[in-house]
Amino acid sequence: MKQLSLTGILFVAVLNCFSQSAPKSAIIEIPDLLYVNEAEAENDSLQRLNLVIPEGVENFPLLIWIGGGAWSYVDRNVEMDLARKFAAAGIGVAAVGHRLSPAIWRDSSLTTGIQHPKHIEDIAAAVKWLYDNAPKYQYDRTKIFIGGFSSGAQLAALLSFDNRYLEKVGLSTDLIKGIIPISGTYDIVNYYEVMKNSDRPEMADLHVKAVFGENNSDFIDASPITYLDSLSIPMLVMVDRYLINYTKIFEEKLMETSFGDFQVLYIHNLTHGELWRNISRKENSIYRDMIIEFITSHTQS
């Protein structure tokens, strides 16, 4: 295990040099790919993914990316800047949408939606579609990574730790080469308690129960930390300054296992939104460079 702090001037300089010297690839964008059968699609606009790939390249790695939005207002289309940046660096990106939960706390009209495990079942279906279609789009299905931001981080971790969802579609977590969860929550029991004791205690019911169900057993089932007994996939964890406590709980649980192939980066100088914008939109991002390096280093033979 490595806990990192990006305060070293030399380390920053090295990563900036890497970013400026990395060759740029032309890219191809294929939006709105339906990853379930049309007859099974509950919401034709949500159960889709946007694929962005480097042009004229074969056998490149693929990052399956799940955007944030409190499991309730996730929009794959706002992840396109991020997808383009990685594709230009030679890494294909599938920005995956999924069905959404109610969010009346955000918008009084958002009264209907799904609950866990429907979100993660959508992600598993998208992984299955991407695995099956690798030859068509020329990415290497032995170089598949999964990551996400905020609510997407919880989904990426859960899919990678709990093999039930990929097994249901005929796959295994063994296909995942690396995990990149960023600024997520990994213990839903704790997440519920934090909301319950916050200055908006109604969020415990309006948000957490609306997403995950009514009972403590539902929260445990949806918590990535429930499934840490057989970790085997390398992991790069990042977190902004607002969600540090959630990641500390996650790291403490990881430290209790015998698994050691993970890095945790606490980014104290950026807020939740600032970290997402840095990775997604900044021309030169040391945090995006770290993800690229993580993917590159784990695809070398």
Side-chain angles (χ1 to χ4, degrees):
M1 186 280 302
K2 299 177 183 177
Q3 184 182 107
L4 304 177
S5 176
L6 286 186
T7 55
I9 295 175
L10 178 60
F11 186 62
V12 172
V14 169
L15 281 177
N16 279 333
C17 180
F18 171 79
S19 176
Q20 291 167 8
S21 63
K24 303 291 185 180
S25 300
I27 63 174
I28 299 172
E29 299 181 21
I30 310 105
D32 303 326
L33 293 165
L34 185 67
Y35 59 74
V36 294
N37 295 329
E38 287 191 34
E40 299 174 359
E42 291 187 19
N43 187 310
D44 190 52
S45 66
L46 294 178
Q47 291 170 294
R48 292 179 180 269
L49 60 86
N50 296 342
L51 188 61
V52 185
I53 58 177
E55 185 175 13
V57 180
E58 296 181 1
N59 299 320
F60 52 89
L62 178 72
L63 172 61
I64 299 172
W65 181 256
I66 314 160
W71 304 273
S72 304
Y73 51 94
V74 177
D75 183 353
R76 67 185 182 277
N77 295 310
V78 303
E79 307 299 326
M80 290 300 284
D81 287 333
L82 177 148
R84 292 172 185 131
K85 291 284 196 301
F86 281 97
I91 298 167
V93 176
V96 178
H98 60 75
R99 289 169 293 171
L100 304 174
S101 291
I104 60 173
W105 54 271
R106 177 181 171 88
D107 182 334
S108 60
S109 69
L110 300 178
T111 59
T112 60
I114 62 164
Q115 283 187 326
H116 171 79
K118 297 299 184 183
H119 322 84
I120 195 74
E121 289 173 352
D122 280 358
I123 303 304
V127 174
K128 170 65 172 173
W129 187 95
L130 287 161
Y131 186 85
D132 290 346
N133 283 276
K136 179 177 180 179
Y137 297 103
Q138 298 187 310
Y139 50 83
D140 188 338
R141 63 174 143 204
T142 70
K143 300 176 182 177
I144 290 178
F145 295 76
I146 187 163
F149 189 87
S150 196
S151 60
Q154 179 266 342
L155 292 171
L158 185 62
L159 187 85
S160 304
F161 296 170
D162 184 356
N163 207 27
R164 287 180 297 169
Y165 302 106
L166 287 180
E167 283 183 344
K168 190 175 179 179
V169 296
L171 298 176
S172 166
T173 54
D174 292 341
L175 71 87
I176 301 171
K177 199 76 172 177
I179 316 164
I180 308 156
I182 302 175
S183 291
T185 181
Y186 310 97
D187 181 346
I188 306 305
V189 176
N190 169 260
Y191 188 57
Y192 176 79
E193 291 299 324
V194 169
M195 294 297 167
K196 190 176 179 180
N197 294 296
S198 71
D199 57 0
R200 293 190 63 191
E202 71 277 10
M203 290 291 285
D205 290 341
L206 296 180
H207 170 42
V208 183
K209 285 188 175 181
V211 173
F212 296 107
E214 293 291 323
N215 303 313
N216 202 61
S217 59
D218 298 322
F219 303 159
I220 293 171
D221 185 74
S223 298
I225 65 164
T226 302
Y227 311 99
L228 301 183
D229 54 349
S230 57
L231 296 177
S232 61
I233 307 170
M235 182 163 44
L236 172 63
V237 183
M238 295 183 181
V239 63
D240 64 86
R241 71 171 182 240
Y242 286 169
L243 275 75
I244 281 176
N245 287 341
Y246 296 135
T247 296
K248 282 185 175 179
I249 291 171
F250 186 37
E251 183 184 15
E252 287 170 2
K253 293 296 183 181
L254 289 170
M255 291 286 289
E256 293 174 4
T257 73
S258 60
F259 181 68
D261 197 357
F262 66 92
Q263 303 170 60
V264 181
L265 173 62
Y266 293 95
I267 304 169
H268 296 272
N269 63 318
L270 295 179
T271 67
H272 198 59
E274 287 170 347
L275 178 56
W276 178 82
R277 288 189 291 273
N278 183 290
I279 294 170
S280 303
R281 297 175 178 171
K282 195 170 182 181
E283 188 62 30
N284 295 306
S285 166
I286 56 176
Y287 311 113
R288 188 172 64 245
D289 287 346
M290 285 193 69
I291 298 169
I292 292 170
E293 175 59 24
F294 174 80
I295 292 173
T296 301
S297 65
H298 287 89
T299 53
Q300 294 171 345
S301 57

